[in-house]
Amino acid sequence: MIAMKTPMRTLLALALTTVLPLAGWAASPAAHAVANASTSQDSVYLGYYQEDPASNPEDPTMGSVYLNLPASDSEFSGTMYFTYLGCQSHNLGTISGSKAGASLKGKWNGSIDGTQQAGTFTGTYAPAQSAYAGTFTVDGGKQYIDIPSCISYYIAPKGTFELFAVGKNVPSNFSVSMTGNTVSWSPPSGAIMTLVYVLDPAVASSGHGNATVWQTLVMGPQGTANLSEAGLVSGHTYVVAVGASDSRFHRLSFASSRFTAP
């Protein structure tokens, strides 16, 4: 699914004309991981989901996702966020499941622009990357959504995700910074789409409610985004996250950083 005004959708369409062959595309769930990802306390992992460009070549989109993971084998929760424009409904997928060793197995369900959606959500911890990676599905398969005078897009039937600890930079030389309401980063070579979002870590840590307060997609090799419309509360601590993908919709970089709203 994608939520963009027509000019941005045109940019994405142009980018798609240069997409390389998609054979072998995947974000590996690291099936060979054997280490337990447990820490001494519950941990928030945040990252992105990427819709599958093979089954949804029209508008494969990135979006925010986070989980509140238990220290031991137990239940976990989190959300996937699908809202990009103010004219959309409040679109949220609630994730729930069980953590067992290095594995996550769960489901998600929620409302996307007036349609009820659900699917699976499974992943594995990869010690080498210090991250979780996996896949999600949509029970209803590929669907076309049209909201007059707002947006039209496809919901992909499946996709992948990656989740990192707060403050993790991938690669290590990729970082984000805040100056006032402007978030900045150095665009990696080949970036055609960059996801930018703000998370409330207090809500995420509580395991209740939705912690993603705002997100947007930046098209092309740009390196800034303005958070003035995010509705941030002055003096409150947030986490800003930035993830960029290339013309094959592979993740090029991801980083997150805590900041206090001015």
Side-chain angles (χ1 to χ4, degrees), residues 47-253:
Y48 67 94
Y49 64 81
Q50 171 65 64
E51 292 187 310
D52 177 28
S55 56
N56 179 29
E58 295 86 353
D59 49 19
T61 306
M62 301 176 76
S64 71
V65 58
Y66 73 88
L67 296 180
N68 182 11
L69 295 173
S72 58
D73 293 354
S74 185
E75 304 299 306
F76 67 82
S77 63
T79 68
M80 303 169 72
Y81 197 57
F82 308 113
T83 301
Y84 300 84
L85 299 176
C87 56
Q88 287 185 279
S89 302
H90 184 65
N91 300 325
L92 185 70
T94 301
I95 306 166
S96 61
S98 298
K99 173 178 173 285
S103 299
L104 303 176
K105 185 175 182 179
K107 296 182 178 181
W108 71 274
N109 66 83
S111 177
I112 301 178
D113 287 320
T115 66
Q116 292 303 306
Q117 305 291 339
T120 62
F121 188 94
T122 59
T124 307
Y125 185 71
Q129 289 77 38
S130 299
Y132 284 91
T135 62
F136 69 92
T137 64
V138 178
D139 290 347
K142 187 174 182 177
Q143 301 161 61
Y144 181 68
I145 304 295
D146 183 30
I147 306 174
S149 302
C150 179
I151 187 167
S152 60
Y153 60 91
Y154 285 94
I155 296 176
K158 61 182 179 179
T160 58
F161 68 85
E162 280 189 298
L163 296 167
F164 308 91
V166 175
K168 176 74 172 179
N169 297 356
V170 183
S172 59
N173 62 353
F174 180 76
S175 61
V176 298
S177 61
M178 289 291 303
T179 303
N181 282 318
T182 300
V183 54
S184 303
W185 64 94
S186 296
S189 177
I192 68 161
M193 180 191 299
T194 302
L195 170 69
V196 182
Y197 67 90
V198 177
L199 195 78
D200 186 328
V203 175
S205 296
S206 74
H208 302 287
N210 170 46
T212 303
V213 299
W214 178 86
Q215 71 176 0
T216 191
L217 291 171
V218 177
M219 307 308 294
Q222 301 184 56
T224 62
N226 192 291
L227 309 184
S228 59
E229 296 183 2
L232 305 181
V233 177
S234 179
H236 190 74
T237 297
Y238 296 93
V239 173
V240 63
V242 175
S245 64
D246 63 15
S247 62
R248 296 168 67 179
F249 302 96
H250 291 171
R251 186 263 302 156
L252 293 171
S253 57

